[in-house]
Amino acid sequence: GQWGPQTGPAAPWGSVARGSKLLFDVINEEGGIHGRKIKYFIRDDMYNPAQTAAVVKELVERQGVFAFVGGVSAAGGLAVKDYLAQNKVIWVGPATSVREYVFPVQPYLFSVYPLYEDEASILTKYIVDTLKIKKLGILYQNDSYGKNGLEGCKQRLATYKMALVAEIPIEPTEKDLGSQILRLKNSGAEAVLMYVNPTSAVIALKTAANVGFKPQWVSSNTLSDYPLMFKISGGLWEGVITGNFGEVPDSKNPLMVKYKAAAKRLAPEERWGTFYSAGILFADPIVEALKKAGRNISTEAVLKALNSIRDYQTIGPRINWSEKQHQGSDSIVIQKCGPNGSYIELQGWTPNDLATWKK
């Protein structure tokens, strides 16, 4: 099963759950795993943690799901994390990544996605060292997602003995960001790091354009679907720098080429893009684990297989898990949005040299 915002303020992220469906459709088309087909359920939680709890309960108690994959929203995930653990339901590849998920290690939860904390640290290093920017502000969602990004940024700035010139929280549903953008402008910020949802990001850029505020915008990988962001921002996304957790959609990686062709054939109504392909890379380790577990499937057998995954890489970061370590990666790629939502790679796979969890 998977929950995700098919409607609501974060609906552009809903394609993650539909991307996982493509992976399972391809697996089933190829004969399944050890002769068995995967049955997959998607539920819309509208980016509302209370709704996440309701749909997860329904999938566990009425549909009897064996495992979950993906799942957009840090707050939504935190609302169901303990419930899934109590019911011994495996959860692989949350489509969000906060420290609270896997530290201390959660026996049933395996994270593919680099921590927002690690990503923000890497992006901040790039802003200071490569862009030579000294005045950095941050606009962050007032929840676990945004606060983890804020923390990583501050960790990195501390190594330079620098501080943010402005740190501004917003609520996910806010529609008027006039006062926040004015505060950023008045702070003298030359770059602004964003850890917000797609709707908030577009409102921020449009508001800034209206008041003549033109910093270097830098964002989490959560806004790395450039064609989409370019379109909904009316072209304002061009020039924005983001992290990314996977190969670009037009990558020549043979697996990406295979999935892109499969999407055209099996899901022609879908737009092939970063969020959609993310649904594949978050879910594919459970396919690997199901293969490794053999024909006699049990929760224990799949857990053992997941805990033995080493140097596993498909279209995302290199994943390593063990019984004592369920954070799969700390690496991102850094990219910039070019004309018409194209991808320009600025820096290849980069780990966070400050990642405390690896020491």
Side-chain angles (χ1 to χ4, degrees):
Q2 182 166 182
W3 67 88
Q6 304 304 310
T7 57
W13 287 336
S15 58
V16 172
R18 303 194 300 276
S20 300
K21 180 181 186 299
L22 177 76
L23 173 68
F24 299 137
D25 286 348
V26 168
I27 296 296
N28 287 343
E29 191 180 59
E30 292 172 350
I33 300 169
H34 303 302
R36 293 196 184 95
K37 302 291 178 75
I38 292 172
K39 195 171 179 183
Y40 177 59
F41 302 85
I42 295 175
R43 293 292 183 267
D44 181 12
D45 68 348
M46 300 175 283
Y47 205 56
N48 177 337
Q51 191 66 17
T52 312
V55 299
V56 165
K57 195 168 192 291
E58 182 258 329
L59 285 173
V60 171
E61 296 177 20
R62 293 187 62 188
Q63 305 296 344
V65 300
F66 175 79
F68 281 84
V69 295
V72 167
S73 167
L78 291 172
V80 298
K81 176 173 76 77
D82 292 342
Y83 170 83
L84 290 174
Q86 286 156 12
N87 285 276
K88 299 183 177 178
V89 177
I90 293 169
W91 179 14
V92 171
T96 177
S97 190
V98 291
R99 184 170 273 277
E100 299 94 311
Y101 279 174
V102 287
F103 299 102
V105 68
Q106 309 288 322
Y108 298 90
L109 204 170
F110 295 79
S111 180
V112 170
Y113 205 142
L115 292 174
Y116 294 131
E117 185 181 300
D118 286 331
E119 180 197 37
S121 178
I122 297 163
L123 288 173
T124 303
K125 185 176 194 293
Y126 184 84
I127 290 165
V128 176
D129 287 354
T130 304
L131 301 182
K132 308 296 182 189
I133 285 174
K134 302 297 182 192
K135 293 184 176 179
L136 174 61
I138 189 169
L139 189 68
Y140 68 96
Q141 203 159 283
N142 189 26
D143 62 9
S144 190
Y145 157 51
K147 289 173 182 175
N148 272 254
L150 173 66
E151 181 60 29
C153 176
K154 285 179 153 183
Q155 283 172 14
R156 179 62 64 176
L157 286 178
T159 69
Y160 298 108
K161 296 186 168 49
M162 289 169 62
L164 286 157
V165 295
E167 50 183 270
I168 300 175
I170 63 168
E171 299 305 319
T173 52
E174 277 190 74
K175 294 289 182 275
D176 182 356
L177 300 180
S179 63
Q180 292 94 329
I181 295 301
L182 207 56
R183 282 170 61 197
L184 282 166
K185 185 181 180 183
N186 291 338
S187 74
E190 299 162 330
V192 176
L193 187 58
M194 286 190 289
Y195 274 77
V196 298
N197 68 61
T199 305
S200 300
V202 170
I203 293 170
L205 264 67
K206 287 184 174 178
T207 306
N210 288 340
V211 298
F213 178 44
K214 297 176 181 176
Q216 172 61 63
W217 296 98
V218 182
S219 149
S220 165
N221 59 60
T222 54
L223 303 179
S224 60
D225 195 323
Y226 294 167
L228 173 74
M229 295 307 298
F230 186 89
K231 183 181 178 183
I232 64 177
S233 68
L236 291 173
W237 206 251
E238 186 172 341
V240 175
I241 292 170
T242 73
N244 204 340
F245 45 73
E247 301 258 356
V248 296
D250 55 0
S251 160
K252 298 300 181 235
N253 177 313
L255 271 177
M256 196 66 108
V257 173
K258 173 186 173 178
Y259 293 135
K260 186 177 182 179
K264 200 170 181 179
R265 188 166 45 81
L266 298 172
E269 73 286 357
E270 291 287 354
R271 183 186 64 83
W272 179 254
T274 293
F275 298 157
Y276 189 71
S277 62
I280 298 170
L281 75 89
F282 294 146
D284 70 12
I286 199 163
V287 172
E288 177 70 6
L290 287 166
K291 288 175 182 173
K292 289 178 79 168
R295 181 149 178 81
N296 295 324
I297 289 297
S298 65
T299 298
E300 291 69 30
V302 176
L303 284 177
K304 187 178 178 183
L306 286 165
N307 280 320
S308 70
I309 284 180
R310 305 280 187 277
D311 288 327
Y312 178 75
Q313 188 168 29
T314 56
I315 57 172
R318 191 176 301 280
I319 304 302
N320 285 284
W321 289 322
S322 67
E323 281 190 23
K324 295 179 179 177
Q325 175 55 53
H326 284 183
Q327 177 57 39
S329 171
D330 69 333
S331 297
I332 61 162
V333 177
I334 300 178
Q335 298 164 343
K336 182 165 79 171
C337 181
N340 299 313
S342 56
Y343 290 85
I344 300 167
E345 184 169 304
L346 301 177
Q347 192 166 292
W349 287 109
T350 306
N352 179 23
D353 56 352
L354 298 183
T356 52
W357 59 268
K358 292 203 301 186
K359 295 183 170 65

